[in-house]
Amino acid sequence: MANAEKFISLYKVLEDLLEEKCREEGRSTVNAVYQYISAMGNVRFRDKLDLCRQVRNLITHSADIDGCPPIEPSDGLMRTLEEIVSYFQKPPLVLDRATAVDRLLVATPRDRVVWLMQRMARNGYSHVPVMENDRLTGVFSASTPFAMAMDENRLAVDDQTRLDEVREALRPENHRMEQFRFIDPETTCDEARELFVRTSPRERRVAALFVTENGQPYGRLLGMLTPWDLMEES
């Protein structure tokens, strides 16, 4: 079978996969491949996928020349399309990219604020989960000292102040400059990437996604995902 014929058959598999994705999301299945390319957050394979789309249109809609297709996809392009199809047949899940909880710098409510700030500065961490009994109880971020300073009921912080004394500033829902989302282990990297995309300038940016066993704030924490963890997917 010539590459052109193989290419069209494989491209049809891709169309079916993306049409199913559209149906699951309640969207129209018309031009599913183009929809994926055009989506704001979908940068994975964008240029390669658009090239495949153009080649497919050229083969399908152009007249044959002496009984041969107007273009014959190269072996390299065939491998690219195979890679794309394989990706959508078994998309990577967030735990494939997230930092597992046993590799995170984590704090407990009994840890001292100053000690944690020193650790973060020394190691370049911007967000540290505060955990108790395998559950997330708060997040200490680079903006937390600012939030503590703005608290009308703030207490004086010294080198003995513990995190549980400033627990209100640590609660994920109380962060004023950023927000956090909770997702389950079956979330795909594509779905996670969409959560990092702001829908308006006034919306607080999503700084991190926390993977819990049930996708809920009270679930056992499995890992943390940041936009940087998805750079390889772009």
Side-chain angles (χ1 to χ4, degrees), residues 118-161:
Q118 291 171 340
R119 288 286 303 276
M120 292 174 67
R122 186 162 59 245
N123 295 287
Y125 293 112
S126 59
H127 297 85
V128 174
V130 181
M131 295 179 59
E132 194 165 21
N133 298 324
D134 294 331
R135 268 65 177 174
L136 183 82
T137 61
V139 181
F140 196 102
S141 73
S143 64
T144 299
F146 174 78
M148 291 162 51
M150 295 297 292
D151 186 352
E152 294 179 357
N153 300 313
R154 65 183 180 274
L155 50 80
V157 176
D158 56 31
D159 59 3
Q160 296 303 312
T161 304

mmCIF file of all heavy atoms in Angstrom, residues 118-161:
data_model
loop_
_atom_site.group_PDB
_atom_site.id
_atom_site.type_symbol
_atom_site.label_atom_id
_atom_site.label_comp_id
_atom_site.label_asym_id
_atom_site.label_seq_id
_atom_site.Cartn_x
_atom_site.Cartn_y
_atom_site.Cartn_z
ATOM 1 N N GLN A 118 12.820 29.867 54.525
ATOM 2 C CA GLN A 118 14.247 29.682 54.227
ATOM 3 C C GLN A 118 14.460 28.502 53.291
ATOM 4 O O GLN A 118 15.284 28.577 52.366
ATOM 5 C CB GLN A 118 15.019 29.489 55.537
ATOM 6 C CG GLN A 118 15.082 30.736 56.404
ATOM 7 C CD GLN A 118 15.661 30.468 57.776
ATOM 8 O OE1 GLN A 118 15.689 29.327 58.256
ATOM 9 N NE2 GLN A 118 16.148 31.519 58.445
ATOM 10 N N ARG A 119 13.750 27.406 53.537
ATOM 11 C CA ARG A 119 13.856 26.235 52.656
ATOM 12 C C ARG A 119 13.414 26.569 51.242
ATOM 13 O O ARG A 119 14.042 26.154 50.253
ATOM 14 C CB ARG A 119 12.997 25.091 53.200
ATOM 15 C CG ARG A 119 13.528 24.406 54.448
ATOM 16 C CD ARG A 119 14.719 23.489 54.148
ATOM 17 N NE ARG A 119 14.420 22.463 53.170
ATOM 18 C CZ ARG A 119 13.848 21.286 53.440
ATOM 19 N NH1 ARG A 119 13.479 21.013 54.698
ATOM 20 N NH2 ARG A 119 13.649 20.396 52.491
ATOM 21 N N MET A 120 12.317 27.304 51.125
ATOM 22 C CA MET A 120 11.803 27.674 49.805
ATOM 23 C C MET A 120 12.788 28.557 49.056
ATOM 24 O O MET A 120 13.052 28.356 47.871
ATOM 25 C CB MET A 120 10.458 28.378 49.954
ATOM 26 C CG MET A 120 9.328 27.473 50.442
ATOM 27 S SD MET A 120 7.791 28.369 50.787
ATOM 28 C CE MET A 120 7.319 28.898 49.119
ATOM 29 N N ALA A 121 13.354 29.545 49.765
ATOM 30 C CA ALA A 121 14.317 30.453 49.128
ATOM 31 C C ALA A 121 15.573 29.710 48.705
ATOM 32 O O ALA A 121 16.125 29.947 47.620
ATOM 33 C CB ALA A 121 14.657 31.589 50.086
ATOM 34 N N ARG A 122 16.031 28.795 49.544
ATOM 35 C CA ARG A 122 17.263 28.064 49.264
ATOM 36 C C ARG A 122 17.111 27.119 48.074
ATOM 37 O O ARG A 122 18.034 26.927 47.284
ATOM 38 C CB ARG A 122 17.677 27.285 50.510
ATOM 39 C CG ARG A 122 19.035 26.595 50.383
ATOM 40 C CD ARG A 122 19.601 26.229 51.734
ATOM 41 N NE ARG A 122 18.718 25.340 52.484
ATOM 42 C CZ ARG A 122 18.113 25.673 53.620
ATOM 43 N NH1 ARG A 122 18.281 26.886 54.133
ATOM 44 N NH2 ARG A 122 17.341 24.822 54.252
ATOM 45 N N ASN A 123 15.925 26.541 47.919
ATOM 46 C CA ASN A 123 15.714 25.533 46.880
ATOM 47 C C ASN A 123 14.898 26.030 45.685
ATOM 48 O O ASN A 123 14.665 25.276 44.747
ATOM 49 C CB ASN A 123 15.024 24.304 47.482
ATOM 50 C CG ASN A 123 15.893 23.604 48.505
ATOM 51 O OD1 ASN A 123 16.863 22.941 48.170
ATOM 52 N ND2 ASN A 123 15.550 23.761 49.781
ATOM 53 N N GLY A 124 14.459 27.281 45.729
ATOM 54 C CA GLY A 124 13.738 27.850 44.593
ATOM 55 C C GLY A 124 12.298 27.378 44.460
ATOM 56 O O GLY A 124 11.755 27.374 43.347
ATOM 57 N N TYR A 125 11.655 27.012 45.569
ATOM 58 C CA TYR A 125 10.264 26.571 45.521
ATOM 59 C C TYR A 125 9.327 27.767 45.633
ATOM 60 O O TYR A 125 9.569 28.673 46.436
ATOM 61 C CB TYR A 125 9.951 25.594 46.659
ATOM 62 C CG TYR A 125 10.665 24.264 46.544
ATOM 63 C CD1 TYR A 125 11.662 23.912 47.454
ATOM 64 C CD2 TYR A 125 10.349 23.368 45.531
ATOM 65 C CE1 TYR A 125 12.321 22.699 47.356
ATOM 66 C CE2 TYR A 125 11.009 22.150 45.427
ATOM 67 C CZ TYR A 125 11.988 21.827 46.338
ATOM 68 O OH TYR A 125 12.639 20.630 46.232
ATOM 69 N N SER A 126 8.267 27.754 44.849
ATOM 70 C CA SER A 126 7.287 28.842 44.922
ATOM 71 C C SER A 126 6.015 28.426 45.650
ATOM 72 O O SER A 126 5.279 29.283 46.144
ATOM 73 C CB SER A 126 6.919 29.334 43.515
ATOM 74 O OG SER A 126 6.379 28.276 42.744
ATOM 75 N N HIS A 127 5.739 27.115 45.720
ATOM 76 C CA HIS A 127 4.536 26.619 46.387
ATOM 77 C C HIS A 127 4.866 25.342 47.162
ATOM 78 O O HIS A 127 5.505 24.445 46.609
ATOM 79 C CB HIS A 127 3.429 26.319 45.375
ATOM 80 C CG HIS A 127 2.954 27.527 44.624
ATOM 81 N ND1 HIS A 127 3.590 27.986 43.496
ATOM 82 C CD2 HIS A 127 1.921 28.374 44.869
ATOM 83 C CE1 HIS A 127 2.968 29.073 43.060
ATOM 84 N NE2 HIS A 127 1.962 29.327 43.872
ATOM 85 N N VAL A 128 4.450 25.308 48.400
ATOM 86 C CA VAL A 128 4.679 24.127 49.233
ATOM 87 C C VAL A 128 3.340 23.683 49.833
ATOM 88 O O VAL A 128 2.686 24.465 50.534
ATOM 89 C CB VAL A 128 5.682 24.422 50.365
ATOM 90 C CG1 VAL A 128 5.793 23.233 51.308
ATOM 91 C CG2 VAL A 128 7.050 24.755 49.772
ATOM 92 N N PRO A 129 2.930 22.445 49.573
ATOM 93 C CA PRO A 129 1.704 21.939 50.190
ATOM 94 C C PRO A 129 1.904 21.759 51.699
ATOM 95 O O PRO A 129 2.955 21.305 52.146
ATOM 96 C CB PRO A 129 1.495 20.577 49.511
ATOM 97 C CG PRO A 129 2.391 20.582 48.310
ATOM 98 C CD PRO A 129 3.538 21.477 48.651
ATOM 99 N N VAL A 130 0.896 22.140 52.451
ATOM 100 C CA VAL A 130 0.887 21.897 53.890
ATOM 101 C C VAL A 130 -0.069 20.727 54.111
ATOM 102 O O VAL A 130 -1.234 20.785 53.729
ATOM 103 C CB VAL A 130 0.420 23.141 54.671
ATOM 104 C CG1 VAL A 130 0.441 22.859 56.174
ATOM 105 C CG2 VAL A 130 1.311 24.332 54.345
ATOM 106 N N MET A 131 0.440 19.659 54.698
ATOM 107 C CA MET A 131 -0.327 18.415 54.768
ATOM 108 C C MET A 131 -0.452 17.893 56.199
ATOM 109 O O MET A 131 0.409 18.124 57.037
ATOM 110 C CB MET A 131 0.339 17.348 53.889
ATOM 111 C CG MET A 131 0.343 17.659 52.416
ATOM 112 S SD MET A 131 1.176 16.350 51.479
ATOM 113 C CE MET A 131 0.156 14.928 51.920
ATOM 114 N N GLU A 132 -1.538 17.173 56.386
ATOM 115 C CA GLU A 132 -1.762 16.472 57.643
ATOM 116 C C GLU A 132 -2.561 15.213 57.340
ATOM 117 O O GLU A 132 -3.589 15.278 56.657
ATOM 118 C CB GLU A 132 -2.520 17.365 58.623
ATOM 119 C CG GLU A 132 -2.502 16.851 60.044
ATOM 120 C CD GLU A 132 -2.941 17.903 61.043
ATOM 121 O OE1 GLU A 132 -3.625 18.863 60.641
ATOM 122 O OE2 GLU A 132 -2.596 17.759 62.227
ATOM 123 N N ASN A 133 -2.055 14.068 57.789
ATOM 124 C CA ASN A 133 -2.717 12.777 57.529
ATOM 125 C C ASN A 133 -2.939 12.538 56.034
ATOM 126 O O ASN A 133 -4.017 12.106 55.611
ATOM 127 C CB ASN A 133 -4.047 12.696 58.276
ATOM 128 C CG ASN A 133 -3.878 12.776 59.779
ATOM 129 O OD1 ASN A 133 -2.905 12.258 60.324
ATOM 130 N ND2 ASN A 133 -4.801 13.450 60.453
ATOM 131 N N ASP A 134 -1.924 12.835 55.219
ATOM 132 C CA ASP A 134 -1.946 12.615 53.763
ATOM 133 C C ASP A 134 -2.925 13.522 53.031
ATOM 134 O O ASP A 134 -3.171 13.332 51.840
ATOM 135 C CB ASP A 134 -2.276 11.158 53.424
ATOM 136 C CG ASP A 134 -1.196 10.202 53.879
ATOM 137 O OD1 ASP A 134 -0.024 10.625 53.940
ATOM 138 O OD2 ASP A 134 -1.516 9.036 54.176
ATOM 139 N N ARG A 135 -3.517 14.494 53.721
ATOM 140 C CA ARG A 135 -4.464 15.404 53.102
ATOM 141 C C ARG A 135 -3.881 16.812 53.058
ATOM 142 O O ARG A 135 -3.129 17.218 53.953
ATOM 143 C CB ARG A 135 -5.788 15.441 53.874
ATOM 144 C CG ARG A 135 -6.854 14.467 53.407
ATOM 145 C CD ARG A 135 -6.461 13.046 53.605
ATOM 146 N NE ARG A 135 -7.517 12.104 53.219
ATOM 147 C CZ ARG A 135 -7.354 10.802 53.199
ATOM 148 N NH1 ARG A 135 -6.183 10.261 53.528
ATOM 149 N NH2 ARG A 135 -8.344 10.006 52.833
ATOM 150 N N LEU A 136 -4.248 17.552 52.012
ATOM 151 C CA LEU A 136 -3.799 18.931 51.877
ATOM 152 C C LEU A 136 -4.638 19.822 52.788
ATOM 153 O O LEU A 136 -5.864 19.824 52.692
ATOM 154 C CB LEU A 136 -3.937 19.381 50.426
ATOM 155 C CG LEU A 136 -3.426 20.786 50.111
ATOM 156 C CD1 LEU A 136 -1.914 20.746 49.916
ATOM 157 C CD2 LEU A 136 -4.080 21.333 48.844
ATOM 158 N N THR A 137 -3.992 20.572 53.655
ATOM 159 C CA THR A 137 -4.717 21.503 54.511
ATOM 160 C C THR A 137 -4.435 22.960 54.150
ATOM 161 O O THR A 137 -5.144 23.860 54.585
ATOM 162 C CB THR A 137 -4.352 21.287 55.993
ATOM 163 O OG1 THR A 137 -2.951 21.522 56.180
ATOM 164 C CG2 THR A 137 -4.704 19.863 56.424
ATOM 165 N N GLY A 138 -3.396 23.181 53.344
ATOM 166 C CA GLY A 138 -3.075 24.543 52.946
ATOM 167 C C GLY A 138 -1.942 24.563 51.940
ATOM 168 O O GLY A 138 -1.345 23.532 51.626
ATOM 169 N N VAL A 139 -1.660 25.754 51.430
ATOM 170 C CA VAL A 139 -0.552 25.947 50.494
ATOM 171 C C VAL A 139 0.208 27.193 50.929
ATOM 172 O O VAL A 139 -0.386 28.265 51.089
ATOM 173 C CB VAL A 139 -1.046 26.137 49.045
ATOM 174 C CG1 VAL A 139 0.157 26.316 48.102
ATOM 175 C CG2 VAL A 139 -1.918 24.976 48.595
ATOM 176 N N PHE A 140 1.507 27.043 51.165
ATOM 177 C CA PHE A 140 2.352 28.195 51.461
ATOM 178 C C PHE A 140 3.028 28.586 50.157
ATOM 179 O O PHE A 140 3.767 27.802 49.570
ATOM 180 C CB PHE A 140 3.404 27.859 52.516
ATOM 181 C CG PHE A 140 4.040 29.079 53.127
ATOM 182 C CD1 PHE A 140 3.658 29.510 54.386
ATOM 183 C CD2 PHE A 140 5.003 29.802 52.435
ATOM 184 C CE1 PHE A 140 4.235 30.648 54.956
ATOM 185 C CE2 PHE A 140 5.581 30.931 52.987
ATOM 186 C CZ PHE A 140 5.194 31.361 54.254
ATOM 187 N N SER A 141 2.757 29.812 49.697
ATOM 188 C CA SER A 141 3.319 30.263 48.424
ATOM 189 C C SER A 141 4.142 31.525 48.631
ATOM 190 O O SER A 141 4.195 32.082 49.738
ATOM 191 C CB SER A 141 2.196 30.537 47.420
ATOM 192 O OG SER A 141 1.500 31.730 47.756
ATOM 193 N N ALA A 142 4.759 31.974 47.548
ATOM 194 C CA ALA A 142 5.580 33.183 47.631
ATOM 195 C C ALA A 142 4.752 34.401 48.019
ATOM 196 O O ALA A 142 5.288 35.384 48.555
ATOM 197 C CB ALA A 142 6.277 33.416 46.288
ATOM 198 N N SER A 143 3.441 34.339 47.766
ATOM 199 C CA SER A 143 2.572 35.474 48.102
ATOM 200 C C SER A 143 1.984 35.374 49.509
ATOM 201 O O SER A 143 1.328 36.311 49.971
ATOM 202 C CB SER A 143 1.432 35.580 47.088
ATOM 203 O OG SER A 143 0.596 34.442 47.141
ATOM 204 N N THR A 144 2.206 34.265 50.202
ATOM 205 C CA THR A 144 1.624 34.094 51.536
ATOM 206 C C THR A 144 2.096 35.146 52.538
ATOM 207 O O THR A 144 1.269 35.678 53.299
ATOM 208 C CB THR A 144 1.912 32.676 52.067
ATOM 209 O OG1 THR A 144 1.314 31.714 51.195
ATOM 210 C CG2 THR A 144 1.337 32.495 53.457
ATOM 211 N N PRO A 145 3.393 35.499 52.592
ATOM 212 C CA PRO A 145 3.802 36.551 53.531
ATOM 213 C C PRO A 145 3.061 37.864 53.300
ATOM 214 O O PRO A 145 2.723 38.569 54.258
ATOM 215 C CB PRO A 145 5.311 36.700 53.257
ATOM 216 C CG PRO A 145 5.714 35.348 52.759
ATOM 217 C CD PRO A 145 4.553 34.886 51.923
ATOM 218 N N PHE A 146 2.785 38.178 52.034
ATOM 219 C CA PHE A 146 2.023 39.395 51.724
ATOM 220 C C PHE A 146 0.608 39.280 52.286
ATOM 221 O O PHE A 146 0.085 40.232 52.883
ATOM 222 C CB PHE A 146 1.979 39.603 50.210
ATOM 223 C CG PHE A 146 1.108 40.754 49.776
ATOM 224 C CD1 PHE A 146 1.551 42.063 49.877
ATOM 225 C CD2 PHE A 146 -0.157 40.526 49.261
ATOM 226 C CE1 PHE A 146 0.743 43.122 49.490
ATOM 227 C CE2 PHE A 146 -0.976 41.571 48.861
ATOM 228 C CZ PHE A 146 -0.520 42.881 48.977
ATOM 229 N N ALA A 147 -0.021 38.112 52.094
ATOM 230 C CA ALA A 147 -1.377 37.903 52.603
ATOM 231 C C ALA A 147 -1.399 37.988 54.123
ATOM 232 O O ALA A 147 -2.328 38.545 54.719
ATOM 233 C CB ALA A 147 -1.896 36.542 52.143
ATOM 234 N N MET A 148 -0.355 37.465 54.768
ATOM 235 C CA MET A 148 -0.267 37.524 56.227
ATOM 236 C C MET A 148 -0.139 38.973 56.698
ATOM 237 O O MET A 148 -0.752 39.378 57.700
ATOM 238 C CB MET A 148 0.916 36.692 56.708
ATOM 239 C CG MET A 148 0.726 35.193 56.518
ATOM 240 S SD MET A 148 2.280 34.250 56.590
ATOM 241 C CE MET A 148 3.000 34.828 58.108
ATOM 242 N N ALA A 149 0.617 39.764 55.954
ATOM 243 C CA ALA A 149 0.811 41.165 56.325
ATOM 244 C C ALA A 149 -0.464 41.976 56.160
ATOM 245 O O ALA A 149 -0.702 42.953 56.884
ATOM 246 C CB ALA A 149 1.939 41.776 55.490
ATOM 247 N N MET A 150 -1.313 41.568 55.188
ATOM 248 C CA MET A 150 -2.556 42.291 54.920
ATOM 249 C C MET A 150 -3.691 41.864 55.848
ATOM 250 O O MET A 150 -4.745 42.494 55.872
ATOM 251 C CB MET A 150 -2.974 42.065 53.464
ATOM 252 C CG MET A 150 -2.023 42.645 52.438
ATOM 253 S SD MET A 150 -1.903 44.450 52.557
ATOM 254 C CE MET A 150 -3.562 44.900 52.028
ATOM 255 N N ASP A 151 -3.509 40.794 56.591
ATOM 256 C CA ASP A 151 -4.553 40.293 57.483
ATOM 257 C C ASP A 151 -4.747 41.269 58.646
ATOM 258 O O ASP A 151 -3.818 41.569 59.391
ATOM 259 C CB ASP A 151 -4.160 38.915 58.021
ATOM 260 C CG ASP A 151 -5.278 38.274 58.830
ATOM 261 O OD1 ASP A 151 -6.294 38.948 59.105
ATOM 262 O OD2 ASP A 151 -5.127 37.088 59.188
ATOM 263 N N GLU A 152 -5.986 41.772 58.795
ATOM 264 C CA GLU A 152 -6.271 42.736 59.854
ATOM 265 C C GLU A 152 -6.046 42.134 61.241
ATOM 266 O O GLU A 152 -5.782 42.851 62.206
ATOM 267 C CB GLU A 152 -7.713 43.238 59.727
ATOM 268 C CG GLU A 152 -7.957 44.050 58.457
ATOM 269 C CD GLU A 152 -9.400 44.508 58.349
ATOM 270 O OE1 GLU A 152 -10.200 44.135 59.239
ATOM 271 O OE2 GLU A 152 -9.723 45.230 57.389
ATOM 272 N N ASN A 153 -6.203 40.836 61.354
ATOM 273 C CA ASN A 153 -6.037 40.169 62.647
ATOM 274 C C ASN A 153 -4.672 39.500 62.777
ATOM 275 O O ASN A 153 -4.505 38.553 63.537
ATOM 276 C CB ASN A 153 -7.142 39.125 62.836
ATOM 277 C CG ASN A 153 -8.520 39.742 62.793
ATOM 278 O OD1 ASN A 153 -8.771 40.754 63.430
ATOM 279 N ND2 ASN A 153 -9.416 39.131 62.023
ATOM 280 N N ARG A 154 -3.715 39.988 61.999
ATOM 281 C CA ARG A 154 -2.412 39.329 61.954
ATOM 282 C C ARG A 154 -1.722 39.371 63.314
ATOM 283 O O ARG A 154 -1.905 40.294 64.107
ATOM 284 C CB ARG A 154 -1.523 39.975 60.885
ATOM 285 C CG ARG A 154 -1.143 41.418 61.167
ATOM 286 C CD ARG A 154 -0.331 41.984 60.014
ATOM 287 N NE ARG A 154 0.054 43.368 60.232
ATOM 288 C CZ ARG A 154 -0.694 44.400 59.927
ATOM 289 N NH1 ARG A 154 -1.887 44.203 59.400
ATOM 290 N NH2 ARG A 154 -0.277 45.631 60.147
ATOM 291 N N LEU A 155 -0.910 38.358 63.525
ATOM 292 C CA LEU A 155 -0.096 38.345 64.723
ATOM 293 C C LEU A 155 1.359 38.567 64.329
ATOM 294 O O LEU A 155 1.730 38.412 63.166
ATOM 295 C CB LEU A 155 -0.261 37.014 65.483
ATOM 296 C CG LEU A 155 -0.119 35.698 64.692
ATOM 297 C CD1 LEU A 155 1.348 35.352 64.471
ATOM 298 C CD2 LEU A 155 -0.822 34.566 65.431
ATOM 299 N N ALA A 156 2.157 38.948 65.270
ATOM 300 C CA ALA A 156 3.573 39.169 64.988
ATOM 301 C C ALA A 156 4.236 37.824 64.690
ATOM 302 O O ALA A 156 4.078 36.861 65.457
ATOM 303 C CB ALA A 156 4.245 39.840 66.169
ATOM 304 N N VAL A 157 4.949 37.758 63.569
ATOM 305 C CA VAL A 157 5.603 36.516 63.168
ATOM 306 C C VAL A 157 7.066 36.569 63.570
ATOM 307 O O VAL A 157 7.785 37.514 63.221
ATOM 308 C CB VAL A 157 5.484 36.291 61.644
ATOM 309 C CG1 VAL A 157 6.258 35.047 61.237
ATOM 310 C CG2 VAL A 157 4.030 36.175 61.245
ATOM 311 N N ASP A 158 7.487 35.574 64.342
ATOM 312 C CA ASP A 158 8.900 35.488 64.684
ATOM 313 C C ASP A 158 9.405 34.105 64.286
ATOM 314 O O ASP A 158 8.698 33.339 63.634
ATOM 315 C CB ASP A 158 9.128 35.758 66.176
ATOM 316 C CG ASP A 158 8.320 34.812 67.071
ATOM 317 O OD1 ASP A 158 8.078 33.652 66.653
ATOM 318 O OD2 ASP A 158 7.935 35.219 68.177
ATOM 319 N N ASP A 159 10.623 33.774 64.666
ATOM 320 C CA ASP A 159 11.192 32.508 64.206
ATOM 321 C C ASP A 159 10.576 31.287 64.880
ATOM 322 O O ASP A 159 10.934 30.147 64.561
ATOM 323 C CB ASP A 159 12.714 32.501 64.378
ATOM 324 C CG ASP A 159 13.150 32.714 65.828
ATOM 325 O OD1 ASP A 159 12.266 32.807 66.719
ATOM 326 O OD2 ASP A 159 14.362 32.779 66.062
ATOM 327 N N GLN A 160 9.629 31.514 65.801
ATOM 328 C CA GLN A 160 8.945 30.395 66.442
ATOM 329 C C GLN A 160 7.496 30.227 65.965
ATOM 330 O O GLN A 160 6.831 29.272 66.358
ATOM 331 C CB GLN A 160 8.957 30.585 67.967
ATOM 332 C CG GLN A 160 10.347 30.574 68.590
ATOM 333 C CD GLN A 160 11.113 29.290 68.286
ATOM 334 O OE1 GLN A 160 10.577 28.194 68.437
ATOM 335 N NE2 GLN A 160 12.360 29.429 67.831
ATOM 336 N N THR A 161 7.027 31.137 65.133
ATOM 337 C CA THR A 161 5.639 31.070 64.661
ATOM 338 C C THR A 161 5.428 29.834 63.797
ATOM 339 O O THR A 161 6.207 29.573 62.876
ATOM 340 C CB THR A 161 5.282 32.322 63.841
ATOM 341 O OG1 THR A 161 5.518 33.484 64.635
ATOM 342 C CG2 THR A 161 3.811 32.279 63.426
#
